[in-house]
Amino acid sequence: MMDNVSVITIFFLSGLNETKNYRFIFFSLTLLYYCLILLVNVSLIVIIILDKNLHEPMYILLCTFCMNGLYGTTGFYPKFLCDLLSPVHVISYSGCLVQALVTYSFACCDMSILAVMAYDRYVAICQPLVYHSVMSKQKIINLVCFSWITPLCIMGINVFLTSRLKLCSPYIARFFCVNWIIVKLACYPAETTVNGIVAYITIIIYFFHGVFIVWSYMYLIKTCVNSKENRAKFMQTCVPHLISLVTFIFTVLFDVMNMRYNSNKFPQILQNFVEVEFLVIAPIMNPLIYGFKLTKIRNRILGVITFKIK
């Protein structure tokens, strides 16, 4: 068995067999969708960078949101597109660990950015007189670094612990790599105790991110009830954030529930969508919601379109 463990250099992915008769259709639709993700996220990033009027904390955080979307989807879509055209779905051991790190650090980064956005909106609406002094340029840089570095370190620790395990099977019951699925391939379950502890600590950390976001919005709603001006500000800047938050939480919960309690009762295509939902909905939903809802972004986009037509 130990000899067998040492020769596992690739993983075999599953879940795409039912799509082989329609692989060119799925490939075309996926490629089109990925191009759309790239277009809307890059467009929003470029608009925010080039327009100095958008160099404000909220828009800088939105730019970070879009960059994270590009980061996460790059870890999934190129490999997925290749698999759709390939008769054999395999990935190298190191490539699998990298994909697990990228996809789930992307999800954790999203949660961190949402928490920073909630703090930004709390200060903007509840403490408007000190907003610019509290949300200074240096403070924003620190918060953005926190929202990127912390998830990368946390998921890096999870993946590093997984890399130390002796694995007895090269077969992954998904069509992309997930850290906990790799952990479940360990030859000796006793060796995964530390992995389980660190995984639960990770869940607790991001659960408290969620608690902070919910608390900040409850406080914001309470503050905005008695002020017409604050209600307007809440509807314009906080509603997109709330939609992003609800979308993200539901997609991640679906993924976690499916991973923990998968009973294989659903059709394979539906199961595949549930597994990858957080990489499908969030990267396109966030820039579209903010692009159409936030007045400055919408006006800038309309201005560019009008200029092109003329």
Side-chain angles (χ1 to χ4, degrees):
M1 181 65 70
M2 294 298 291
D3 292 335
N4 289 337
V5 169
S6 64
V7 299
I8 297 179
T9 56
I10 62 170
F11 288 107
F12 295 89
L13 306 173
S14 64
L16 290 177
N17 291 332
E18 289 190 11
T19 65
K20 61 184 178 181
N21 294 329
Y22 310 99
R23 59 182 182 175
F24 291 111
I25 296 174
F26 279 109
F27 175 83
S28 301
L29 292 175
T30 303
L31 179 60
L32 182 64
Y33 190 76
Y34 183 44
C35 289
L36 183 62
I37 289 174
L38 294 176
L39 176 65
V40 295
N41 281 281
V42 170
S43 296
L44 219 54
I45 291 168
V46 170
I47 286 171
I48 292 170
I49 290 175
L50 295 182
D51 192 339
K52 292 184 178 181
N53 294 323
L54 299 177
H55 292 182
E56 299 175 9
M58 182 173 62
Y59 300 104
I60 293 172
L61 293 173
L62 173 55
C63 187
T64 306
F65 223 165
C66 293
M67 288 179 178
N68 189 50
L70 294 175
Y71 163 73
T73 52
T74 301
F76 169 72
Y77 282 95
K79 176 66 174 73
F80 179 56
L81 287 166
C82 290
D83 284 343
L84 284 173
L85 295 180
S86 174
V88 181
H89 309 129
V90 297
I91 187 170
S92 67
Y93 177 84
S94 57
C96 193
L97 292 180
V98 170
Q99 187 178 60
L101 172 65
V102 171
T103 52
Y104 282 86
S105 61
F106 151 75
C108 293
C109 280
D110 252 14
M111 197 66 178
S112 294
I113 295 167
L114 286 168
V116 174
M117 282 182 160
Y119 174 69
D120 172 73
R121 291 301 86 201
Y122 165 77
V123 177
I125 294 175
C126 299
Q127 302 175 10
L129 297 179
V130 296
Y131 175 71
H132 290 290
S133 59
V134 172
M135 299 300 290
S136 63
K137 186 176 180 180
Q138 187 59 48
K139 183 75 167 285
I140 287 296
I141 292 172
N142 292 339
L143 289 172
V144 168
C145 289
F146 160 80
S147 66
W148 274 89
I149 295 172
T150 304
L152 282 171
C153 290
I154 291 173
M155 288 312 302
I157 293 169
N158 278 270
V159 172
F160 171 73
L161 291 172
T162 301
S163 70
R164 300 175 67 197
L165 298 174
K166 296 178 177 65
L167 307 180
C168 281
S169 173
Y171 296 97
I172 292 178
R174 282 201 175 193
F175 62 97
F176 69 102
C177 294
V178 177
N179 186 61
W180 189 249
I181 300 295
I182 302 171
V183 171
K184 289 163 72 174
L185 301 177
C187 296
Y188 312 108
E191 291 184 349
T192 67
T193 303
V194 176
N195 296 74
I197 292 170
V198 173
Y200 279 113
I201 291 173
T202 302
I203 291 170
I204 290 169
I205 288 171
Y206 288 98
F207 171 78
F208 279 110
H209 276 58
V211 170
F212 169 75
I213 294 169
V214 171
W215 172 84
S216 65
Y217 274 102
M218 287 177 64
Y219 195 88
L220 280 173
I221 291 169
K222 182 181 176 182
T223 304
C224 293
V225 167
N226 300 321
S227 170
K228 186 176 180 180
E229 182 183 349
N230 282 343
R231 280 201 302 271
K233 189 183 293 186
F234 180 87
M235 290 300 294
Q236 183 185 5
T237 61
C238 296
V239 169
H241 185 190
L242 281 174
I243 295 172
S244 296
L245 175 65
V246 171
T247 303
F248 176 78
I249 288 176
F250 271 101
T251 53
V252 170
L253 280 177
F254 271 125
D255 182 57
V256 171
M257 293 294 286
N258 183 61
M259 196 190 315
R260 296 284 180 173
Y261 308 107
N262 183 15
S263 58
N264 297 319
K265 290 182 179 179
F266 298 108
Q268 186 64 57
I269 292 177
L270 178 59
Q271 194 170 306
N272 287 348
F273 179 75
V274 171
E275 290 173 357
V276 79
E277 199 176 358
F278 73 102
L279 286 163
V280 173
I281 295 177
I284 195 73
M285 182 75 77
N286 294 333
L288 287 179
I289 289 172
Y290 282 101
F292 284 108
K293 186 64 182 173
L294 296 180
T295 305
K296 285 187 178 181
I297 295 286
R298 186 172 64 248
N299 291 343
R300 189 71 179 86
I301 293 172
L302 292 173
V304 171
I305 294 172
T306 303
F307 179 76
K308 293 278 187 182
I309 293 174
K310 288 181 178 180

